[in-house]
């Protein structure tokens, strides 16, 4: 309450001082000359900005199909073109200020106009250029108010008052100015860290020579390094002694030892998976618990499997280490499947293997390596002779792929074309003894 009343008194005193200065400017020839120079500087900046906007836009706009570093740099600079007018006005006003100070020994009016142009530049930057939600929030509620206070000459007294206001927090205490600086500096540094991490992740995705697991591991290592350096920079800039964080580190260690064992275990398991590369994004895996699907994402805590019916299964990384995992697509290896069928006992079964193998080999996705289709006699059933054909394909026999169904169609057509009968179950009932009939 005391802080608010003191600040209001200072604001009123500053407003009264500004009013007295404004009244003095009204009757001062030097002030009117400065105002005229201010208007001329703005008009000159308006003309120059209009002349430069179109050629600058053409120069900085790369072709849409270009995505090299130079094109990205040009697109990045292009978004700052709206700042051309206020920055040109600020520069011309600065020249006018040096002229008026050399002629009249003062330049308060034109210096005020220069600060106003800077405020307009900050306002355009926050409203039209900054797209990140967090940075836009910081700009709207911190950067624009600071620029407004600077334009009105109230920034220094406001900062002094914020520095004098101490906020107690247990055994610690800090000023409001320190808190605001921490928010601004921390937000800017961590935003830069996130931007750098996104750029490095996009760069790594384009490195086709690296294994997917190595790309994921490198991206995680870069992310940890970037945000670790950002944290140390924030602590150093704000003057926080890192040794004071030893108690906090000990508390975190105790928490990991008791309450966060699973999280730590899953994190370490994720690092092991990335290092070994036994399961990575794009692999179709089946876990010992019955979960099966394609790995679409591997995080620090868990992996996400997508089933062929569109469901996502979140599997902790620890399950990939402590349980049995069947990987159907590791390193792009082929998979073997089989299709069972039967023929009647009237068939010359010596002709069946060659006939079926030739028919299955016609399928465009059936491989000849590592082994061609192989038809085997499996047994003599109750209704017919049992066979099965083994075949190798590149992919998973599920979802969009219907390899077993296609192979069974090929078998059916081959047997029908060669007049081989596919048996169906039938039973022969034998009666022993005589059947007696009773008459009434």
């Amino acid at each position: 309450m005391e802080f608010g009343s003191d600040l209001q008194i200072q604001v009123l005193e500053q407003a009264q001082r500004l009013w007295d200065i404004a009244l003095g400017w009204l009757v001062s020839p030097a002030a009117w000359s400065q105002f005229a120079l201010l208007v001329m500087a703005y008009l000159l900046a308006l003309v120059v900005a209009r002349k430069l906007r179109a050629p600058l836009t053409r120069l900085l706009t790369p072709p849409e199909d270009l995505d090299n570093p130079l094109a990205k740099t040009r697109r990045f600079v292009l978004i700052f073109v709206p700042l051309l007018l206020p920055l040109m006005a600020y520069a011309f006003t600065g020249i006018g200020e040096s002229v008026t100070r050399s002629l009249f020994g003062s330049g308060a009016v034109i210096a005020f106009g220069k600060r106003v142009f800077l405020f307009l530049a900050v306002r355009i930057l926050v409203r039209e250029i900054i797209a990140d939600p967090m940075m836009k929030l910081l700009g709207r509620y911190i950067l624009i108010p600071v620029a407004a206070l600077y334009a009105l000459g109230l920034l220094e007294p406001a900062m002094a008052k914020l520095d004098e206001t101490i906020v107690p927090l247990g055994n610690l205490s800090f000023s409001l100015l320190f808190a605001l600086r921490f928010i601004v500096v921390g937000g800017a540094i961590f935003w830069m860290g996130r931007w750098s991490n996104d750029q490095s992740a996009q760069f790594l995705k384009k490195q086709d020579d690296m294994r997917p697991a190595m790309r994921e591991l490198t991206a995680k290592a870069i992310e940890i390094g970037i945000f670790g350096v950002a944290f140390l920079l924030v602590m150093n800039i704000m003057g926080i002694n890192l040794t004071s964080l030893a108690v906090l580190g000990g508390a975190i260690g105790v928490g990991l030892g008791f309450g966060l064992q699973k999280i730590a275990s899953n994190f370490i398991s994720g690092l092991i998976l990335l290092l070994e590369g036994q399961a990575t994004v794009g692999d179709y895996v089946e876990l010992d618990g019955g979960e099966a699907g394609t790995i679409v994402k591997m995080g620090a805590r868990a992996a996400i499997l997508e089933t062929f019916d569109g469901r996502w299964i979140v599997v902790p990384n620890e399950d990939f280490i402590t349980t049995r995992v069947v990987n159907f697509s590791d390193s792009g290896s082929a998979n073997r499947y089989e299709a069972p069928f039967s023929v009647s006992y009237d068939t010359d079964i010596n002709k069946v293997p060659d006939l079926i193998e030739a028919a299955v080999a016609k399928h465009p996705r059936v491989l000849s390596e590592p082994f061609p289709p192989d038809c085997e006699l499996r047994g003599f059933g109750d209704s017919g002779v049992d066979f099965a054909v083994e075949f190798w394909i590149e992919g998973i026999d599920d979802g969009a792929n219907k390899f077993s169904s296609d192979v069974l169609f090929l078998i059916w057509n081959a047997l029908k074309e060669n007049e081989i009968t596919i048996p169906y179950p039938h039973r022969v009932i034998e009666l022993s003894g005589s059947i007696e009939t009773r008459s009434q």
Side-chain angles (χ1 to χ4, degrees):
M1 206 63 170
E2 181 181 354
F3 166 71
S5 60
D6 291 345
L7 184 59
Q8 289 177 1
I9 293 173
Q10 289 190 8
V11 169
L12 291 175
E13 291 177 352
Q14 185 71 10
Q16 182 63 39
R17 189 171 66 85
L18 292 175
W19 176 253
D20 295 338
I21 293 174
L23 291 178
W25 287 351
L26 291 176
V27 295
S28 173
W32 281 102
S33 62
Q34 293 178 46
F35 183 76
L37 285 175
L38 188 63
V39 173
M40 290 175 58
Y42 175 75
L43 293 177
L44 179 61
L46 185 63
V47 173
V48 173
R50 287 183 176 177
K51 293 290 185 179
L52 293 179
R53 182 182 291 269
L56 275 178
T57 302
R58 290 194 299 268
L59 179 64
L60 296 174
T61 304
E64 295 182 358
D65 55 343
L66 284 182
D67 197 28
N68 53 37
L70 179 60
K72 292 181 179 179
T73 304
R74 291 167 64 185
R75 292 189 183 98
F76 178 74
V77 177
L78 180 63
I79 65 177
F80 294 97
V81 170
L83 292 177
L84 187 62
L85 175 59
L87 291 181
M88 294 291 292
Y90 180 83
F92 292 150
T93 305
I95 298 174
E97 181 185 6
S98 62
V99 172
T100 56
R101 289 190 183 278
S102 63
L103 294 178
F104 301 103
S106 65
V109 176
I110 200 166
F112 173 74
K114 186 174 70 170
R115 295 196 301 267
V116 170
F117 288 138
L118 184 61
F119 167 76
L120 294 177
V122 171
R123 188 169 177 269
I124 293 173
L125 176 68
V126 173
R127 292 194 172 187
E128 300 182 15
I129 297 177
I130 295 178
D132 185 79
M134 185 187 72
M135 297 302 296
K136 186 178 285 290
L137 184 67
L138 291 176
R140 183 178 302 169
Y141 293 104
I142 295 180
L143 189 58
I144 289 181
V146 168
L149 290 174
Y150 174 73
L152 296 174
L154 298 174
L155 182 59
E156 290 187 3
M159 290 181 64
K161 193 59 185 178
L162 289 173
D163 195 25
E164 295 173 0
T165 306
I166 304 300
V167 178
L169 186 62
N171 295 329
L172 301 175
S173 61
F174 55 88
S175 65
L176 288 179
L177 181 61
F178 176 84
L180 289 177
R181 284 178 176 173
F182 184 83
I183 292 173
V184 173
V185 173
I189 290 179
F190 278 98
W191 178 82
M192 287 296 297
R194 190 179 67 177
W195 180 82
S196 302
N197 180 63
D198 293 341
Q199 296 300 315
S200 60
Q202 293 179 7
F203 174 77
L204 289 173
K205 287 181 180 179
K206 299 177 182 179
Q207 306 306 310
D208 297 331
D209 296 337
M210 298 177 64
R211 293 190 301 112
M214 185 57 65
R215 288 201 299 264
E216 291 287 336
L217 179 61
T218 306
K220 290 297 180 184
I222 292 176
E223 181 179 1
I224 294 173
I226 287 175
F227 285 103
V229 171
F231 175 76
L232 295 177
L233 281 176
V234 172
M235 296 297 104
N236 188 31
I237 291 174
M238 302 311 299
I240 299 176
N241 190 0
L242 294 179
T243 57
S244 62
L245 300 178
V247 177
L248 179 61
I252 294 176
V254 173
L256 289 174
F258 289 98
L260 303 178
Q261 295 183 30
K262 285 293 184 181
I263 295 178
S265 175
N266 287 319
F267 178 76
I268 296 173
S269 299
L271 293 179
I272 294 174
L273 286 173
L274 293 175
L275 283 171
E276 293 183 348
Q278 294 179 353
T280 185
V281 176
D283 288 352
Y284 184 86
V285 297
E286 181 179 348
L287 275 68
D288 202 20
E291 300 89 351
T294 303
I295 301 177
V296 295
K297 182 179 180 181
M298 295 191 71
R301 186 190 64 85
I304 297 178
L305 307 184
E306 183 177 10
T307 63
F308 286 113
D309 55 2
R311 299 178 181 179
W312 279 20
I313 304 174
V314 180
V315 181
N317 291 330
E318 185 182 11
D319 291 355
F320 287 90
I321 303 297
T322 59
T323 61
R324 184 180 60 183
V325 179
V326 181
N327 193 335
F328 289 89
S329 52
D330 184 34
S331 302
S333 58
N335 299 305
R336 190 194 70 176
Y337 295 94
E338 66 176 38
F341 64 96
S342 299
V343 297
S344 66
Y345 278 101
D346 298 334
T347 306
D348 183 1
I349 61 175
N350 296 297
K351 299 180 180 178
V352 172
D354 294 338
L355 176 67
I356 298 302
E357 290 171 1
V360 174
K362 295 179 182 178
H363 194 285
R365 297 291 297 275
V366 172
L367 304 176
S368 58
E369 296 291 340
F371 300 101
D374 180 26
C375 184
E376 299 177 350
L377 176 65
R378 291 295 175 86
F380 301 99
D382 296 335
S383 303
V385 183
D386 297 329
F387 285 88
V389 58
E390 298 176 349
F391 57 95
W392 290 78
I393 55 96
E394 193 78 52
I396 306 300
D397 186 23
D398 203 346
N401 301 322
K402 306 295 182 184
F403 299 120
S404 294
S405 176
D406 295 341
V407 168
L408 288 174
F409 270 108
L410 293 173
I411 294 172
W412 172 274
N413 294 330
L415 295 178
K416 287 296 183 181
E417 289 174 0
N418 290 271
E419 297 181 350
I420 297 176
T421 304
I422 298 177
Y424 53 88
H426 61 276
R427 297 290 183 269
V428 177
I429 300 176
E430 297 182 358
L431 299 177
S432 61
S434 58
I435 301 176
E436 298 181 357
T437 59
R438 295 182 179 181
S439 59
Q440 300 293 336

